[in-house]
Amino acid sequence: MGRSVKRSMWTHTAQRSRRARRPYPVRTVITRSQGNTSCFQRLPAEVFHMILDRLSGWLFKRCTLLLPTEDRLTLISSTFSQMPCFKLEECTAAGCLGFYGYGVFLKTMISGWGEVEWHRVFNFLCSFTNLLPKIKMAVTGTPGVSCSLELQLRLFCRQVLLDPWPGKGTLFWLTRILKPWPMVLQARLLFILYGPLMPDGTLAWQGMVEREMSHSDLGHMAGVIVLLYRNLDHLTDWTTDTMQTILEELIVLPEVWHMENVARLFVLCGNTVCYSFLANKLHNGQLLQVSRLIVHIILVCEKDGYSMNWVVRMVHQVCQGFNTSERFAFIQRLEDMFSEVTMELIEIVTAGNHHEGTGPFQTLRSLLQSSAHFHAKFLHMTLQNE
């Protein structure tokens, strides 16, 4: 083959190669004023996940390895501040993946760092997003009025900080978020972060008051309460009494919850949280409230298909703190409460007042069944212990 032919083939190949490696067009950032479409939503899902994979490939971490933490955070801030999808109340597109991407990046970036560095990261995030003033606005206003802000705070805190870190990581970020606020506002903030949502995507403030919520609606809230309880020995700013107060405030937001929602939350929290709450109220002489709550816990166990054994064991556990006469008074009050709740439901049924969700007649039927199952288990356990 002649030299001129070889040169021609080489030139043709090089041109084809250059055409194949033509640089990708540069995307411009869509600001809030330019439209309501997320810049991430414009990317195909495969491309977005490819970007996240690149971010999680330790590239940024390795490139800034020798820089102090403050300089690293400044670099992040200078880059992310140009992207509305990474900022609170900047991107209005539904289903935007910006906070999710932020969470993936942040977890990769600070994985392996010490707690002191994590504190610096949290302080940086508070400054970068103006987080604390926004939280204050949400938790001091009327629940549900600033619904857009509530949802933005929920998405940012959950997707950037809380959800990417299971267990102790979640605990660290959660306690940093809660710590600046008094207990009553901590309860409101917990609801904003983990409370159930209505079908339209807003927080179910009134839903907790007016209708029964399912166990799936309350699962996340129960999970974070259990997380805090399990780690009280390692937390300096939270005690059993602190958690008791937070729970007392939580179940009356924005008004007293539907009683089955209170019971369902404690069923999901399990024996330790439930017994601690009941024992504290009994210690403060609130026998009537405890009896009503136990009756509804029994009802929820029957409705949701949970074993009645754990309720019976918990009632036995409560009884152990009484002397004989106090124990008899407690059991008598519990039986009277069964009768009161039954009569309340009968009056609703006969009056023809039907609420949303499960009808009063079905609830009455479940209550009678739960009473029979509870008493059978309770008598069986009592006779076994004699």
Side-chain angles (χ1 to χ4, degrees), residues 79-253:
T79 302
F80 284 10
S81 63
Q82 302 175 50
M83 305 188 70
C85 295
F86 287 156
K87 300 171 70 176
L88 276 167
E89 297 189 287
E90 289 291 329
C91 179
T92 59
C96 177
L97 298 174
F99 289 161
Y100 169 77
Y102 201 156
V104 171
F105 178 86
L106 188 66
K107 183 177 181 180
T108 302
M109 181 66 189
I110 69 175
S111 180
W113 290 11
E115 188 171 311
V116 172
E117 301 299 304
W118 281 31
H119 280 282
R120 290 180 180 173
V121 171
F122 182 73
N123 291 335
F124 155 74
L125 287 173
C126 288
S127 175
F128 174 63
T129 62
N130 205 25
L131 183 62
L132 296 183
K134 291 180 184 295
I135 290 178
K136 182 178 181 180
M137 188 183 303
V139 298
T140 56
T142 303
V145 171
S146 303
C147 57
S148 176
L149 177 59
E150 291 172 350
L151 292 176
Q152 279 284 297
L153 288 170
R154 179 189 179 100
L155 284 174
F156 180 83
C157 293
R158 290 282 298 271
Q159 295 187 357
V160 177
L161 297 173
L162 299 169
D163 291 351
W165 300 88
K168 290 186 176 180
T170 298
L171 183 68
F172 174 84
W173 297 117
L174 180 63
T175 52
R176 294 313 92 200
I177 294 169
L178 294 177
K179 186 177 180 180
W181 313 105
M183 286 179 283
V184 62
L185 298 187
Q186 288 185 29
R188 291 186 61 170
L189 188 49
L190 278 176
F191 193 97
I192 289 173
L193 296 177
Y194 291 100
L197 299 175
M198 298 297 289
D200 64 358
T202 58
L203 283 163
W205 293 106
Q206 285 300 128
M208 294 299 292
V209 177
E210 297 171 354
R211 62 183 64 89
E212 302 167 34
M213 308 298 286
S214 70
H215 65 278
S216 59
D217 292 326
L218 300 173
H220 290 296
M221 190 186 299
V224 77
I225 291 170
V226 171
L227 178 67
L228 288 168
Y229 260 93
R230 285 178 177 172
N231 291 276
L232 287 177
D233 291 341
H234 311 293
L235 300 176
T236 56
D237 297 296
W238 286 268
T239 64
T240 303
D241 289 339
T242 303
M243 289 305 303
Q244 180 81 16
T245 303
I246 291 174
L247 285 174
E248 293 274 10
E249 296 290 345
L250 181 64
I251 61 178
V252 295
L253 285 173

Side-chain angles (χ1 to χ4, degrees), residues 278-313:
L278 294 176
N280 187 282
K281 292 183 79 69
L282 285 171
H283 179 74
N284 293 324
Q286 297 175 316
L287 181 59
L288 181 66
Q289 295 90 327
V290 169
S291 301
R292 179 171 287 273
L293 179 53
I294 289 176
V295 168
H296 282 87
I297 286 174
I298 294 168
L299 172 61
V300 165
C301 285
E302 180 69 26
K303 279 188 171 185
D304 294 357
Y306 294 106
S307 171
M308 201 65 70
N309 287 331
W310 87 270
V311 189
V312 172
R313 285 195 295 269

Side-chain angles (χ1 to χ4, degrees), residues 330-386:
F330 170 67
I331 297 299
Q332 185 62 55
R333 178 65 266 184
L334 188 60
E335 296 303 320
D336 291 342
M337 187 55 67
F338 265 113
S339 299
E340 289 181 27
V341 175
T342 302
M343 291 305 300
E344 289 171 4
L345 285 170
I346 289 174
E347 289 176 3
I348 294 173
V349 169
T350 55
N353 295 324
H354 298 279
H355 304 298
E356 294 184 26
T358 304
F361 182 80
Q362 182 61 40
T363 300
L364 176 60
R365 181 173 176 270
S366 296
L367 179 64
L368 295 175
Q369 289 177 328
S370 69
S371 176
H373 293 157
F374 170 78
H375 286 96
K377 295 283 186 182
F378 190 81
L379 287 172
H380 180 70
M381 184 174 290
T382 303
L383 292 173
Q384 277 188 325
N385 293 336
E386 287 185 354

